[in-house]
Amino acid sequence: QDGDALYIRAQDSAGNLSARQLALVARQAETYAVTVTTDGNGTASANPVKAPAGTEITLTATPKSGYKLKEWQVMLSDVTIGADNKFIMPNSDVELKAIFEANLSATVADVAISGTVGEPIAGQDVVITLVNDEFTSLPKLGESVEEFFHSDLKNTNLTAKLKSISADRKVLTATVSGSTNTEVNKAMEIVIPAARLKSGKELKVTP
């Protein structure tokens, strides 16, 4: 061997050596490892998990229910992760951590009113259906949920009582009764306090 070059010589039965010849040897590229961990609010992986420098690595993150991927934290090495969750393998091992956050973009998907905006609200059932959230710490059935409704209700004879709550605590039904001259469009401005939602984020909705 001469530096990085490898030469071979053949020897016959008489012990004579041939002239040396350069041997072509395939050098195996060194591979590096990708280690992926999470904060516990989902799962994450890399593909491939071992590769030589210059290889494109694809990351996958699956949040648990109610969470979304916030960011990838680079714990070891220096890589830039693109918006497509890919990066190029450097010439060193890489350690990454998937960080998830609670999905606070809960919205009222439906405020179903058995009536028409501009018509009296009294006697109607109001159904509030949540997406990516759930109700917590609610009054008992039959108790007031007037705290959800527009502040102007305090100046009327309207009452709103909890009629039912679904088993998954995502669908609330309230029965409104009292004054016949309060319109749906005014009374149906709903503010659900943060303390009543699992996300801990106040939610406002209008019809």
Side-chain angles (χ1 to χ4, degrees), residues 21-155:
Q21 298 181 15
L22 180 64
L24 298 178
V25 179
R27 185 185 295 271
Q28 186 174 3
E30 186 173 1
T31 60
Y32 304 96
V34 182
T35 302
V36 180
T37 59
T38 77
D39 62 3
N41 292 312
T43 60
S45 62
N47 184 37
V49 295
K50 283 189 176 182
T55 302
E56 184 178 75
I57 308 297
T58 300
L59 301 173
T60 301
T62 304
K64 71 180 185 181
S65 179
Y67 285 79
K68 62 183 178 182
L69 178 66
K70 179 182 179 182
E71 63 182 356
W72 294 99
Q73 285 187 357
V74 180
M75 312 300 290
L76 178 66
S77 195
D78 183 17
V79 295
T80 300
I81 302 170
D84 57 356
N85 291 328
K86 296 180 180 181
F87 69 91
I88 301 301
M89 193 72 181
N91 57 351
S92 63
D93 291 342
V94 176
E95 291 183 13
L96 304 169
K97 186 175 184 178
I99 304 298
F100 299 94
E101 63 181 351
N103 189 350
L104 298 182
S105 59
T107 59
V108 170
D110 185 33
V111 180
I113 306 170
S114 55
T116 306
V117 171
E119 295 295 322
I121 191 174
Q124 301 191 48
D125 284 348
V126 176
V127 180
I128 305 172
T129 303
L130 295 179
V131 176
N132 299 324
D133 209 339
E134 62 184 66
F135 291 103
T136 59
S137 182
L138 282 171
K140 296 179 181 178
L141 296 184
E143 293 184 347
S144 173
V145 286
E146 292 165 30
E147 62 179 305
F148 286 7
F149 294 85
H150 192 278
S151 59
D152 281 2
L153 281 180
K154 297 175 182 178
N155 300 321

